[in-house]
């Protein structure tokens, strides 16, 4: 059920508002009640005092009578005099207390009470001075004579005052007593009315308290019901979030992750969600920094109200990303994730959150890729068949044999013991050299499909070579691709065998394929190295948009034991000459060189010492500075080493595994493998490489090879 | 799931077993293809057979000495044939568990089985090239072999 925001707030506030109002009323009532009780207490106190004072005028009369009779009988009268003084002072004090109580009882302004209080004062003031005068008499009132005791002057004065007092006492009793009676009556009325008023307050207070209690009970019940509803809703949300296969999460305006998310999120992301983490924290381990930056910009765009949510979804950089998750025992697993975002709308427009939905789409991607792969494979099969038909069967069989041997050699390298980092990298370079040779030969035969397959394996090798640290686990993709490549070449081998089988049936062949193609298919001669090199140079020059002429000499003199190695070396070197040695056409024009560059490959006897394979181009010469820069950049040299090296040592760097001055990797260059393979092949033959070069003029590589027998001896000696 | 990921799952299972049960990490050597002849079989081999989208066999084969030391590290004093069989069976069981978890319904995985003896033969399709993943632990050497087509 949807609920408007205002309703929600009111429902939340209502119990608090009502309870507060009732509590305020109750507090007010109690305050009034306390005040009334306090006034009632003061009025009662005043009433009690007034009642007590009513008997005092008779008391003064009694005491005055005692003094009068005592004077007549000449007895001791000091005690009644003192009692009168004490009682009078008490009366005065009582009046002060009555006044204070009247004020406290709120009767300070009552006209009736004040009138009565005034009458009391007036009556008392008439009587009180007489009592004061009596109290002033000190000393004995008698004088002893021979005739007996008689009143002295003091006694006579005292007697006169007492007589006057007794004369006024009746009036005082009437006036003072009457005033006190009126006062007590007034106070009695006040106490009565205040008591009733207090009772009324208490009754109302009790009613309000009861009502408040009832309301609290009602709201408490309602709150419990709401809590139960909330708990039920919470359980339902938890059930949904625990069951849904997608990873659901919320992002606030600061792109901080919400506290609630679906259980699948941690499973899909292979990690726990850290409390108070941000979306950026979540993505950082999954995607490269550039994608992360783009993704954050994209998500921030969703907060802009003018941006159309569905439209910008087409540029979502996280729509489908490939991520690597570490496995528990090492290695990594590749998964494909898809992130989608939806604005959480509110009545007022954009809400406070974006809903993020992440899905593991690996299976979908896999199926899609398999479909695409299947289509591509069908096309590739067709292309391959067309390419294979262009190559004579014997040549194809020879290539497959050589390639199979190279791949088996790669496998043998992998099989060798050794798990140290350096040993693994040596294996890596060894495999690289072998597969690069296969690619070179495939390119030479214009078998682009095969070269592309080998190139994929090289990609995996490069990815591994560029890692800071490698372990055995990292070679799994290599061996899988090696397996695939072997299967692929196995199929081509079978095709080549079938082709060779149909050679005797040339007439049949002619009937199903064009005559020119049939002629090629029926060719049984092994192709010459010159033909291969021509193809290599043509392919490389075409890819580089260069014009190159190849001149070969003496290649048919290569002794049989060196043919395979010389072929591999010459292919690498010729391609290298075109790609790295020959300048771009505009550079040649600027240097006033012929448009068509020249690459010369020759093989000749080197006296009795063996042979020399020479590959020379009329290009730009070896770029000393670029070689040095590349070596420094790749960390092959320290600046201090570089400073100490002479030119020949710098040129020697180009034979190091992984070294290349090419800025871009292409199918023809940039891996830094070709010259490493050449160097390795020459070393294996027991030969050496010499370099001659001149800036802007030429580069010449002379591969000196010993006599085949000497090579074996040298190998043994080593 | 690609063969690369499948092999990764099995390798992780074995390494994880060493990490958790044996509590001493094993190291993976460079994997290679068994060409020409079947991969070497050691004294005890625990295997699972797989059918469904892919077919084949995956096994962990190890020499007796290695398994005995593994048992010692697991505070086990009984080095009997039964216990050694149980140990490779347990590794095979781990392979099976991880495969079930990672591969889902596309793969049907058999109950793990154990064979003893280095002269044993493990049957697999002649069309496939087994991929051997060397597992080095202490001074010992075992193999994880994945043969799927």
């Amino acid at each position: 059920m949807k609920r408007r925001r205002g309703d929600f707030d009111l429902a939340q506030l209502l119990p608090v508002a009502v309870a507060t109002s009732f509590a305020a009323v109750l507090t007010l009532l109690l305050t009034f009640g306390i005040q009334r009780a306090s006034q009632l207490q003061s009025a009662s106190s005043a009433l009690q005092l007034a009642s007590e004072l009513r008997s005092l005028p008779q008391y003064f009369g009694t005491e005055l009578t005692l003094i009068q009779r005592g004077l007549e009988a000449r007895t001791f009268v000091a005690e009644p005099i003192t009692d009168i003084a004490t009682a009078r002072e008490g009366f005065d004090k009582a009046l002060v207390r009555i006044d204070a109580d009247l004020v406290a009882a709120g009767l300070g302004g009552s006209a009736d009470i004040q009138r009565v209080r005034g009458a009391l004062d007036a009556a008392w003031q008439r009587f009180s001075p007489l009592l004061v005068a009596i109290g002033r008499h000190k000393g004995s009132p008698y004088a002893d004579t021979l005739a007996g005791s008689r009143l002295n002057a003091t006694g006579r004065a005292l007697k006169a005052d007492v007589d006057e007092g007794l004369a006024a006492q009746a009036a005082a009793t009437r006036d003072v007593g009457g005033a006190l009676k009126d006062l007590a009556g007034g106070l009695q009325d006040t106490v009565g009315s205040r008591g009733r008023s207090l009772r009324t307050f208490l009754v109302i207070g009790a009613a309000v308290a009861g009502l408040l209690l009832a309301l609290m009970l009602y709201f408490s019940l309602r709150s419990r019901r709401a809590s139960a509803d909330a708990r039920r809703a919470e359980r339902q949300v938890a059930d949904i979030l625990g069951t849904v296969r997608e990873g659901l999460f919320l992002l606030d305006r600061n792109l901080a992750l919400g506290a609630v998310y679906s259980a699948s999120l941690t499973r899909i992301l292979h990690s726990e969600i850290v409390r108070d983490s941000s979306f950026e924290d979540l993505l950082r381990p999954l995607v490269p920094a550039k994608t992360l930056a783009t993704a954050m910009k994209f998500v921030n765009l969703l907060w802009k109200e003018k941006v159309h949510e569905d439209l910008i979804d087409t540029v979502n950089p996280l729509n489908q990303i490939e991520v690597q998750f570490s496995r528990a025992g090492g290695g990594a697993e590749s998964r494909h994730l898809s992130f989608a975002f939806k604005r959480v709308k509110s009545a007022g427009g954009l809400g406070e959150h974006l809903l993020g939905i992440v899905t593991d789409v690996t299976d979908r991607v896999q199926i899609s890729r398999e479909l695409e792969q299947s289509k591509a494979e069908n096309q590739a099969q067709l292309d391959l068949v067309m390419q294979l038909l262009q190559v004579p069967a014997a040549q194809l069989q020879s290539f497959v044999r050589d390639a199979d041997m190279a791949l088996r050699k790669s496998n043998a390298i992998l099989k060798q013991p050794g798990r140290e980092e350096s040993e693994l990298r040596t294996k890596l370079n060894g495999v690289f050299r072998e597969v690069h040779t296969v690619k070179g030969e495939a390119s030479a035969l214009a078998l682009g499909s095969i070269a592309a397959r080998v190139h994929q394996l090289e990609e995996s090798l490069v990815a591994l070579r560029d890692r800071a640290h490698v372990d055995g686990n990292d070679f799994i993709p290599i061996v899988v691709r090696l397996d695939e490549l072997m299967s692929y070449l196995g199929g081509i081998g079978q095709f080549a065998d079938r082709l060779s089988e149909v050679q005797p049936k040339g007439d049949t062949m002619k009937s199903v394929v064009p005559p020119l193609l049939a002629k090629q298919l029926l060719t049984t001669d092994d192709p010459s190295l010159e033909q291969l090199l021509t193809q290599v140079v043509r392919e490389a020059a075409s890819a580089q948009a260069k014009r190159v002429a190849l001149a070969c000499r003496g290649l048919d003199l290569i002794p049989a034991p060196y043919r395979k190695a010389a072929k591999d070396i010459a292919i690498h070197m010729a391609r290298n000459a075109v790609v790295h040695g020959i300048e771009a056409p505009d550079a040649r024009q600027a240097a006033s060189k012929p448009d068509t560059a020249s690459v010369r490959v020759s093989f000749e006897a080197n006296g009795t010492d063996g042979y020399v394979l020479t590959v020379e181009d009329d290009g730009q010469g070896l770029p000393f500075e670029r070689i040095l820069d590349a070596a420094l950049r790749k960390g092959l040299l320290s600046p201090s080493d570089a400073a100490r090296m002479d030119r020949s040592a710098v040129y020697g760097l180009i034979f190091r595994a992984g070294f290349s001055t090419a800025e871009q990797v292409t199918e023809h260059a940039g891996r830094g493998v070709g010259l490493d393979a050449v160097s390795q092949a020459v070393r294996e033959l027991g030969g050496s490489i010499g370099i001659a070069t001149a800036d802007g003029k030429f580069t010449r590589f002379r591969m000196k090879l010993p006599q085949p027998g000497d090579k074996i001896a040298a190998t043994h000696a080593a | 799931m690609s063969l690369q990921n499948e092999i990764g799952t099995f390798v992780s299972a074995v390494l994880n077993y060493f990490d958790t049960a044996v509590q001493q990490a094993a190291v993976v050597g460079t994997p290679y293809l068994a060409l020409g002849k079947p991969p070497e079989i050691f004294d005890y081999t625990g295997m699972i057979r797989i059918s469904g989208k892919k077919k084949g066999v995956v096994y962990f084969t190890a020499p007796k000495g290695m398994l005995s030391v593994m048992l010692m590290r697991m505070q086990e004093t009984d080095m009997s044939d039964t216990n050694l069989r149980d140990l490779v069976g347990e590794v095979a069981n781990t392979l099976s568990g991880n495969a079930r978890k990672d591969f889902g319904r596309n793969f049907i995985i058999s109950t793990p089985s154990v064979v003893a003896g280095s002269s044993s033969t493990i049957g697999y399709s002649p069309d496939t090239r087994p991929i051997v993943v060397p597992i080095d632990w202490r001074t010992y050497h075992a193999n994880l072999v994945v043969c799927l087509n």
Side-chain angles (χ1 to χ4, degrees):
Chain A
M1 186 176 71
K2 279 191 173 181
R3 210 166 184 179
R4 283 186 305 156
R5 195 174 164 166
D7 292 348
F8 176 80
D9 289 343
L10 187 64
Q12 291 279 65
L13 286 175
L14 186 64
V16 178
V18 171
T20 308
S21 306
F22 273 83
V25 170
L26 194 58
T27 307
L28 211 59
L29 287 170
L30 286 175
T31 308
F32 276 124
I34 290 166
Q35 192 187 10
R36 287 287 160 149
S38 174
Q39 287 176 341
L40 185 62
Q41 188 184 14
S42 299
S44 297
S45 173
L47 174 62
Q48 191 179 351
L49 281 172
S51 300
E52 285 171 5
L53 290 179
R54 281 179 68 186
S55 60
L56 272 184
Q58 276 93 9
Y59 174 76
F60 287 126
T62 306
E63 291 301 315
L64 287 171
T65 305
L66 278 176
I67 297 170
Q68 188 182 48
R69 289 188 184 162
L71 290 174
E72 286 170 359
R74 306 294 187 262
T75 59
F76 186 70
V77 292
E79 192 177 336
I81 291 171
T82 305
D83 288 345
I84 284 172
T86 305
R88 184 191 55 77
E89 283 171 13
F91 198 101
D92 285 337
K93 286 178 183 174
L95 286 179
V96 172
R97 279 175 58 197
I98 284 172
D99 286 341
D101 284 341
L102 288 176
V103 171
L107 298 171
S110 169
D112 289 344
I113 294 294
Q114 288 307 320
R115 183 180 50 74
V116 174
R117 177 69 184 83
L120 173 62
D121 256 352
W124 176 246
Q125 288 308 323
R126 284 195 297 273
F127 187 53
S128 176
L130 299 175
L131 297 176
V132 171
I134 292 166
R136 280 197 195 116
H137 292 288
K138 304 290 180 193
S140 176
Y142 307 114
D144 291 331
T145 62
L146 291 176
S149 184
R150 57 182 180 87
L151 292 176
N152 58 16
T154 301
R156 285 190 297 274
L158 176 59
K159 186 175 181 306
D161 287 342
V162 169
D163 290 342
E164 190 179 355
L166 279 171
Q169 187 267 331
T173 300
R174 186 189 64 237
D175 296 342
V176 173
L180 282 169
K181 186 183 172 190
D182 292 343
L183 182 61
L187 286 172
Q188 187 75 46
D189 293 342
T190 303
V191 167
S193 69
R194 293 285 164 89
R196 282 190 300 278
S197 163
L198 180 60
R199 193 166 55 246
T200 307
F201 274 118
L202 289 176
V203 169
I204 294 171
V208 171
L211 202 55
L212 180 59
L213 185 65
L215 276 169
M216 294 309 286
L217 278 172
Y218 166 73
F219 286 126
S220 168
L221 281 173
R222 212 174 76 161
S223 168
R224 282 183 72 175
R225 204 175 305 135
S227 296
D229 287 347
R231 278 198 300 276
R232 196 161 46 246
E234 201 175 317
R235 270 200 306 276
Q236 287 170 359
V237 169
D239 286 347
I240 291 170
L241 291 178
T243 312
V244 69
R245 292 179 62 185
E246 289 82 8
L248 303 179
F249 56 93
L250 290 171
L251 295 179
D252 66 14
R253 284 178 183 272
N254 296 320
L255 301 189
L257 285 167
V260 179
Y261 47 83
S262 68
S264 295
L265 187 64
T266 53
R267 179 181 55 77
I268 292 172
L269 298 179
H270 288 60
S271 68
E272 291 302 318
I273 307 300
V274 180
R275 193 180 169 83
D276 298 330
S277 60
S278 69
F279 184 55
E280 196 170 358
D281 297 334
L282 189 78
L283 274 187
R284 191 171 290 112
L286 301 178
V287 297
K290 197 174 170 186
T291 310
L292 178 65
T294 316
M296 297 313 291
K297 279 183 192 167
F298 169 78
V299 179
N300 275 315
L301 273 180
L302 288 166
W303 286 113
K304 295 187 189 302
E305 204 155 359
K306 287 181 182 174
V307 173
H308 196 287
E309 189 178 31
D310 294 333
L311 278 182
I312 65 159
D313 191 46
T314 54
V315 294
N316 177 3
L318 303 174
N319 188 34
Q320 189 178 302
I321 53 170
E322 185 171 3
V323 296
Q324 303 289 327
F325 293 117
S326 300
R327 289 176 181 276
E333 181 189 358
S334 174
R335 306 293 296 176
H336 293 267
L337 304 183
S338 171
F339 284 80
F341 301 92
K342 291 280 170 199
R343 289 168 175 160
V344 180
K345 301 269 175 61
S346 70
L350 279 183
E352 293 302 312
H353 289 103
L354 290 178
L355 172 66
I357 306 158
V358 56
T359 321
D360 188 329
V361 293
T362 307
D363 290 343
R364 196 176 74 198
V365 171
Q366 196 73 34
I367 290 167
S368 166
R369 280 191 180 171
E370 280 171 11
L371 273 174
E372 280 175 21
Q373 199 177 339
S374 175
K375 278 184 198 170
E377 274 175 7
N378 286 339
Q379 184 60 44
Q381 290 278 358
L382 195 62
D383 293 345
L384 179 63
V385 168
M386 295 309 292
Q387 287 167 13
L388 294 177
L389 287 174
Q390 303 292 322
V391 180
Q395 201 171 339
L396 200 55
Q397 283 177 313
S398 168
F399 163 72
V400 171
R401 270 197 307 277
D402 289 349
D404 185 59
M405 198 182 297
L407 296 185
R408 282 174 183 276
K409 201 170 167 187
S410 298
N411 191 55
I413 291 170
L414 291 176
K415 194 176 175 181
Q416 285 168 5
R419 61 188 193 198
E420 297 302 321
E421 178 91 23
S422 60
E423 293 169 318
L424 295 178
R425 289 200 179 274
T426 303
K427 287 184 182 187
L428 187 59
N429 290 330
V431 173
F432 218 146
R433 278 194 296 272
E434 295 302 325
V435 297
H436 196 67
T437 303
V438 175
K439 190 174 84 170
E441 200 165 342
S443 296
L445 291 170
L447 297 171
S449 299
I450 300 174
R453 286 264 182 163
V454 184
H455 193 70
Q456 285 176 0
L457 174 54
E458 282 192 343
E459 295 279 356
S460 302
L461 290 165
V462 169
L464 195 49
R465 194 177 65 185
D466 291 345
R467 283 198 190 180
H469 171 72
V470 290
D471 61 30
N473 234 334
D474 299 326
F475 280 77
I476 291 173
I478 307 300
V479 81
V480 168
R481 285 206 181 277
L482 194 64
D483 182 39
E484 288 168 358
L485 199 54
M486 288 187 92
S487 298
Y488 186 68
L489 286 170
I492 291 167
Q494 286 174 1
F495 184 85
D497 292 344
R498 297 278 285 277
L499 272 185
S500 68
E501 281 170 15
V502 300
Q503 281 173 357
K505 300 168 189 170
D507 293 340
T508 316
M509 192 70 160
K510 281 176 187 168
S511 65
V512 293
V513 296
L516 187 64
L517 189 57
K519 188 184 170 191
Q520 272 188 306
L521 292 174
L522 295 175
T523 303
T524 54
D525 295 335
D526 216 8
S528 70
L529 177 54
E530 185 171 344
Q531 283 174 308
L532 277 178
L533 292 177
T534 304
Q535 176 68 26
V536 168
V537 169
R538 189 168 56 227
E539 287 280 326
S542 168
Q544 301 275 313
K546 293 175 180 175
R547 292 179 66 183
V548 184
L550 174 72
C552 297
R553 184 164 53 83
L555 299 185
D556 50 347
L557 299 175
I558 299 173
Y562 283 168
R563 268 181 207 152
K564 168 76 174 73
K567 182 179 74 176
D568 293 342
I569 293 169
I571 287 173
H572 281 309
M573 297 304 289
R575 183 187 295 108
N576 218 51
V578 175
V579 175
H580 296 293
I582 304 299
E583 311 92 327
D586 51 349
R588 286 186 71 84
Q589 209 169 19
S592 304
K593 283 179 153 182
D595 288 348
T596 302
S598 158
V599 172
R600 286 185 292 279
V601 182
S602 65
F603 188 85
E604 57 195 351
N606 185 21
T608 56
D609 292 341
Y611 302 92
V612 179
L613 173 62
T614 306
V615 179
E616 181 178 351
D617 65 71
D618 68 342
Q620 60 194 342
L622 286 179
F624 177 81
E625 296 295 339
R626 275 176 55 202
I627 292 170
L628 209 52
D629 285 349
L632 286 167
R633 202 171 51 245
K634 286 173 184 285
L636 299 175
L637 286 181
S638 66
S640 57
D641 288 342
R644 283 197 298 272
M645 287 175 84
D646 59 19
R647 288 185 88 84
S648 62
V650 171
Y651 292 146
L653 291 170
I654 64 176
F655 294 103
R656 297 271 288 266
F659 182 85
S660 175
T661 56
E663 284 167 6
Q664 283 187 326
V665 173
T666 67
E667 196 179 315
H668 296 283
R671 301 282 192 218
V673 180
L675 288 180
D676 173 38
V678 167
S679 168
Q680 178 74 14
V682 172
R683 267 203 310 276
E684 283 177 5
L685 295 174
S688 61
I689 304 175
I691 304 172
T693 182
D695 276 355
K697 291 180 180 171
F698 76 94
T699 303
R700 184 188 305 126
F701 291 93
R702 282 168 57 83
M703 274 67 67
K704 287 185 184 175
L705 305 175
Q707 292 289 352
D710 296 344
K711 170 234 162 185
I712 292 162
T715 307
H716 284 175
Chain B
M1 182 176 263
S2 66
L3 179 60
Q4 178 186 328
N5 280 344
E6 287 152 14
I7 298 171
T9 292
F10 294 124
V11 172
S12 291
V14 172
L15 294 182
N16 204 34
Y17 185 82
F18 275 91
D19 281 348
T20 53
V22 188
Q23 299 200 330
Q24 189 173 34
V27 177
V28 176
T30 43
Y32 58 89
L33 299 168
L35 301 174
K37 58 178 184 179
E40 188 178 4
I41 298 290
F42 296 113
D43 301 322
Y44 290 89
T45 302
M47 73 174 112
I48 53 169
R49 290 199 175 274
I50 291 171
S51 54
K53 194 177 176 185
K54 288 198 176 177
K55 292 181 176 60
V57 59
V58 179
Y59 59 89
F60 172 77
T61 181
K64 184 178 178 180
M66 178 176 181
L67 295 171
S68 302
V69 179
M70 284 168 71
L71 282 177
M72 282 180 213
R73 279 197 61 86
M74 295 159 85
Q75 313 297 322
E76 183 59 68
T77 52
D78 180 2
M79 307 293 161
S80 64
D81 179 69
T82 309
N83 258 11
L84 295 169
R85 280 171 177 269
D86 283 352
L87 182 56
V88 283
E90 205 171 285
V91 177
N93 204 32
T94 308
L95 293 173
S96 168
N98 274 42
R100 280 179 216 281
K101 191 177 72 185
D102 285 11
F103 301 163
R105 291 168 298 177
N106 293 328
F107 288 73
I108 301 162
I109 296 156
S110 75
T111 310
S113 60
V114 172
V115 291
S118 56
S119 57
S120 309
T121 52
I122 311 288
Y124 58 86
S125 165
D127 299 335
T128 54
R129 276 178 287 270
I131 293 176
V132 182
V133 183
I135 306 289
D136 296 332
W137 183 70
R138 295 166 76 107
T139 57
Y140 298 100
H141 175 81
N143 281 339
L144 170 70
V145 180
V146 180
C147 187
L148 294 174
N149 66 359

